[in-house]
């Protein structure tokens, strides 16, 4: 536990760094810079992160301190704030990165920071859920909740950016990267292949939870590839397929009718790569559609107790899946749209920007 003067000094530092402007890095620069991961380039990358990460982390720590409805005082939010303060302190008190030995030590340290923040999303969800249960008993959220929604969008988008910067730097140390892989970016990623893996992962959870699972049919050119971050695409597709499987499973659970498959279609367009996840799970009411990207809106009838013992990923959670997936799509200039036909089913359109040509700085 830090002494009071030290804690005060760190808080002042956070205030100072949190007021600085962050520097965006374009994906094109990341790919060009990372394509030759020389010792000099890795040193330059570490020196950049040594100055950039404290700014980004401090800005989030300051926001965590000033949330409405008393959210900042919730134990789960305080825990996340402590993680951010610890990470800020670790980076700020790390000596200047001057040579290769410093760079290796710095890389190990930021690797540990990334691990420390692994559970930020569910922990934030717990804090917001506690607030909702205490103050907002009805499903309708109060007007002021928009402020929390805006904060969560900024917070998670920033988190994606921080993890992308750390992950890219760490991955460039891989002595034997796969062909076409530059750090986290796979320049020849097969969306069909990622869709197959995400589908298998989602089906296994559905099988575990319900004892059976709808089939998933995937359509598209199996030889088509494009540059993207595989872990981002997997996260988004897993969430969309999981939602579709649950909707179909619950609609046909007690039915004698044949269970329709979930369909995934990959289309290679000039501007975007679009992936459609289509189901016949009954759809979403029109009145509910505006809320599906609102944090804590869930179509689950009986969501699991978030404070109970965790058994890994469940089929239905607390409504963070879709808004976070949309942020992942938007991080690289894409988007996620949901079109639903109540009484029939839902189509999710995942629009993915073609990476590599963009010189726009990332969030």
């Amino acid at each position: 536990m830090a002494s009071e003067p030290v804690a005060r000094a760190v808080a002042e530092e956070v205030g100072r760094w949190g007021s600085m402007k962050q520097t965006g890095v374009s994906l094109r620069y990341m790919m060009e810079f990372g394509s030759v991961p020389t010792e000099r380039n890795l040193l330059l990358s570490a020196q950049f992160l040594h100055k950039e990460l404290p700014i980004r982390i401090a800005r989030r720590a300051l926001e965590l301190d000033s949330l409405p409805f008393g959210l900042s005082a919730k134990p789960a939010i305080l825990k996340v704030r402590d993680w951010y303060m610890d990470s800020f302190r670790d980076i700020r008190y790390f000596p200047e990165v001057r040579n290769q030995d410093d760079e290796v030590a710095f890389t190990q340290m930021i690797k540990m920071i990334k691990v420390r923040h692994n559970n930020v999303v569910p922990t934030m969800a717990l804090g917001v859920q506690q607030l909702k249960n205490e103050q907002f008993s009805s499903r309708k959220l109060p007007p002021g909740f928009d402020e929390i929604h805006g904060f969560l969008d900024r917070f998670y988008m920033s988190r994606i950016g921080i993890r992308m910067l750390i992950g890219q730097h760490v991955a460039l140390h891989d002595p034997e990267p796969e062909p076409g892989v530059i750090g986290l970016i796979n320049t020849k990623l097969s969306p069909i292949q990622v869709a197959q893996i995400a589908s298998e992962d989602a089906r296994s959870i559905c099988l575990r939870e319900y004892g059976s699972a709808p089939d998933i049919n995937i359509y598209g050119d199996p030889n088509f590839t494009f540059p993207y971050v595989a872990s981002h695409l997997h996260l988004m597709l897993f969430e969309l397929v999981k939602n579709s499987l649950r909707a179909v499973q619950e609609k046909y659970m007690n039915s004698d009718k044949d269970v329709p498959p979930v369909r995934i279609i990959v289309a290679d367009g000039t501007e975007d790569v679009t992936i459609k996840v289509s189901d016949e799970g009954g759809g979403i009411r029109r009145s509910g559609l505006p809320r599906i990207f609102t944090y804590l809106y869930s179509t689950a009838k009986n969501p699991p107790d978030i404070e109970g013992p965790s058994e890994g990923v469940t089929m239905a959670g607390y409504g963070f899946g879709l808004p976070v997936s949309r942020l992942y799509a938007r991080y690289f200039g894409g988007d996620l749209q949901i079109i639903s036909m109540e009484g029939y089913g839902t189509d999710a359109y995942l629009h993915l920007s073609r990476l590599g040509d963009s010189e726009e700085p990332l969030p």
Side-chain angles (χ1 to χ4, degrees):
M1 189 78 176
S3 67
E4 213 171 297
V6 171
R8 200 179 306 122
V10 172
E12 284 171 9
E13 278 274 276
V14 166
R16 192 165 66 83
W17 282 78
S19 64
M20 295 181 192
K21 194 173 187 300
Q22 70 179 51
T23 306
V25 182
S26 76
L27 196 79
R28 186 172 188 174
Y29 178 78
M30 267 192 207
M31 288 172 73
E32 287 174 358
F33 185 86
S35 60
V36 191
T38 58
E39 282 181 16
R40 176 175 159 71
N41 275 2
L42 291 173
L43 184 63
L44 288 170
S45 172
Q47 287 168 343
F48 168 73
L49 293 180
H50 194 215
K51 290 185 173 64
E52 181 64 18
L53 289 175
I55 297 172
R56 295 183 179 222
I57 289 169
R59 291 172 78 157
R60 299 289 74 82
L62 289 173
E63 271 205 305
L64 283 164
D65 258 347
S66 54
L67 299 174
F69 300 112
L71 182 57
S72 294
K74 291 280 167 277
I77 306 299
L78 288 171
K79 184 188 279 190
V80 173
R81 181 187 170 276
D82 285 348
W83 290 338
Y84 274 77
M85 294 296 278
D86 289 346
S87 298
F88 175 84
R89 194 165 43 234
D90 287 349
I91 298 170
R92 278 297 297 129
Y93 292 171
F94 192 92
E96 199 176 335
V97 183
R98 296 173 184 272
N99 54 44
Q100 195 195 352
D101 287 345
D102 294 345
E103 190 276 322
V104 170
F106 178 79
T107 301
Q108 279 304 113
M109 187 260 297
I110 61 172
K111 209 181 198 174
M112 291 307 295
I113 284 175
K114 190 163 181 270
V115 171
R116 176 188 288 151
H117 290 252
N118 276 351
N119 288 324
V120 161
V121 174
T123 310
M124 287 294 292
L126 171 57
V128 183
Q129 183 63 33
Q130 286 168 341
L131 178 77
K132 189 186 175 200
N133 289 344
E134 285 170 20
Q135 297 197 18
F136 320 133
S137 52
S138 70
R139 281 180 79 84
K140 195 175 178 189
L141 298 176
F145 197 84
D146 286 352
E147 200 182 325
I148 290 178
H149 180 83
F151 157 73
L152 289 169
D153 265 352
R154 289 191 304 278
F155 184 82
Y156 289 129
M157 186 64 97
S158 168
R159 181 177 184 270
I160 294 167
I162 290 168
R163 292 179 80 78
M164 182 70 198
L165 288 176
I166 294 177
Q168 181 69 4
H169 178 81
V170 170
L172 288 175
H173 287 74
D174 185 350
E176 293 177 12
E178 288 179 39
V181 173
I182 302 169
L184 294 179
I185 305 154
N186 187 341
T187 61
K188 293 186 172 144
L189 185 67
S190 162
I192 294 281
Q193 205 170 23
V194 177
Q196 285 167 342
I197 295 165
S199 296
E200 285 165 19
D201 292 347
R203 270 194 103 239
S204 69
I205 287 164
C206 189
L207 282 164
R208 186 188 73 198
E209 208 143 305
Y210 295 103
S212 62
D215 289 335
I216 300 169
N217 298 339
I218 302 173
Y219 306 91
D221 179 0
N223 298 315
F224 165 63
T225 62
F226 78 121
Y228 211 77
V229 177
S231 58
H232 288 197
L233 183 54
H234 180 279
L235 180 147
M236 293 182 282
L237 283 175
F238 173 78
E239 181 62 32
L240 296 175
V241 173
K242 180 167 68 76
N243 287 350
S244 285
L245 288 174
R246 179 169 64 86
V248 173
Q249 187 66 29
E250 293 192 351
K251 184 182 177 189
Y252 287 88
M253 209 185 308
N254 301 314
S255 169
D256 296 333
K257 294 178 182 173
D258 290 341
V259 179
V262 171
R263 294 179 176 85
I264 301 174
I265 299 127
V266 178
D268 168 21
T270 310
E271 188 174 314
D272 286 341
V273 174
T274 303
I275 302 175
K276 178 167 84 163
V277 179
S278 186
D279 69 60
E280 295 174 38
I284 303 162
R285 291 178 188 172
R286 191 157 55 94
S287 60
L289 275 173
R291 293 182 303 181
I292 59 173
F293 289 110
T294 303
Y295 294 96
L296 297 178
Y297 173 78
S298 176
T299 54
K301 293 180 182 72
N302 298 300
D305 177 9
I306 202 164
E307 293 189 79
S310 171
E311 294 183 18
V313 182
T314 57
M315 288 300 283
Y318 280 88
F320 273 52
L322 278 180
V324 168
S325 294
R326 185 168 68 171
L327 291 179
Y328 270 94
R330 287 180 171 178
Y331 180 73
F332 287 127
D335 209 352
L336 171 61
Q337 292 175 312
I338 306 287
I339 296 171
S340 189
M341 186 187 288
E342 190 190 1
Y344 183 75
T346 302
D347 291 341
Y349 291 88
L350 187 56
H351 303 283
L352 306 170
S353 290
R354 292 180 168 281
L355 306 188
D357 298 327
S358 173
E359 294 189 28
E360 284 288 309
L362 297 166

